[in-house]
Amino acid sequence: EPSYGLDPIVRRSFLSTVAEVVAEDGATVLLSSHLMNEVERIADRVIMLHRGRLLLDVPLADLLARTRLLRLPADFDLSRLDGRVIRTDRSGGEWTAIVANFSDDDRRLLPPAAAVDALSLEDIFCEYALREEEKEENPLSSRVESCGD
């Protein structure tokens, strides 16, 4: 946590310096942090680990652009999303699903009443980590499907 404990002004200065070094020198910087808002501000590629296991290794822009929170009618068939569902919850007569690699083609599969929302990097990490914990608790769970990434 390179910026842990720094006041906001010094933290911003530190992150700006890191970004300048990358831009000017073409250097690669490996930043290990749990502060996802900082990672989201400066990273161009994200590697997510949870309990020592690799969850993701993707360009940040792709991850943010293609991971979506869907709210769907309870009768929607989630298998239409080709196993890219990260996590689901069914309550109050609707599905809530986190979907990886969501595209415009996927949007056409959804009913008009569906809601599609973006997620922050922190939300995405939490969903992947929770999926892994659910797998550990119940390896045969049908609720947890493989991610397309």
Side-chain angles (χ1 to χ4, degrees):
E1 304 290 343
S3 64
Y4 180 76
L6 299 177
D7 69 61
I9 293 171
V10 174
R11 185 172 46 245
R12 282 185 182 181
S13 175
F14 168 75
L15 294 173
S16 292
T17 301
V18 170
E20 286 172 20
V21 167
V22 169
E24 291 173 7
D25 300 340
T28 298
V29 175
L30 177 62
L31 176 68
S32 175
S33 179
H34 291 92
L35 304 174
M36 296 294 159
N37 61 335
E38 290 183 5
V39 173
E40 194 168 352
R41 273 197 350 221
I42 66 167
D44 58 2
R45 182 166 201 86
V46 176
I47 297 171
M48 286 188 185
L49 301 172
H50 179 65
R51 295 186 179 172
R53 293 183 54 209
L54 178 66
L55 300 182
L56 290 172
D57 179 359
V58 296
L60 176 61
D62 292 349
L63 180 65
L64 293 173
R66 297 178 52 92
T67 306
R68 292 290 180 255
L69 167 66
L70 308 181
R71 289 185 190 81
L72 304 157
D75 62 349
F76 182 79
D77 179 9
L78 290 174
S79 68
R80 296 181 73 189
L81 297 170
D82 301 325
R84 291 172 291 121
V85 176
I86 300 166
R87 292 188 66 245
T88 63
D89 183 45
R90 187 173 176 172
S91 65
E94 74 175 8
W95 282 110
T96 301
I98 310 300
V99 178
N101 297 317
F102 190 78
S103 70
D104 289 336
D105 289 336
D106 293 323
R107 194 176 295 273
R108 289 187 264 282
L109 297 173
L110 303 179
V116 179
D117 297 310
L119 295 162
S120 69
L121 183 59
E122 183 171 322
D123 291 335
I124 294 168
F125 172 79
C126 289
E127 294 299 336
Y128 273 94
L130 288 169
R131 179 187 71 172
E132 292 303 306
E133 290 175 10
E134 288 175 358
K135 280 183 183 179
E136 291 168 7
E137 291 172 9
N138 186 4
L140 301 177
S141 172
S142 62
R143 279 187 48 203
V144 180
E145 301 177 26
S146 65
C147 168
D149 214 327

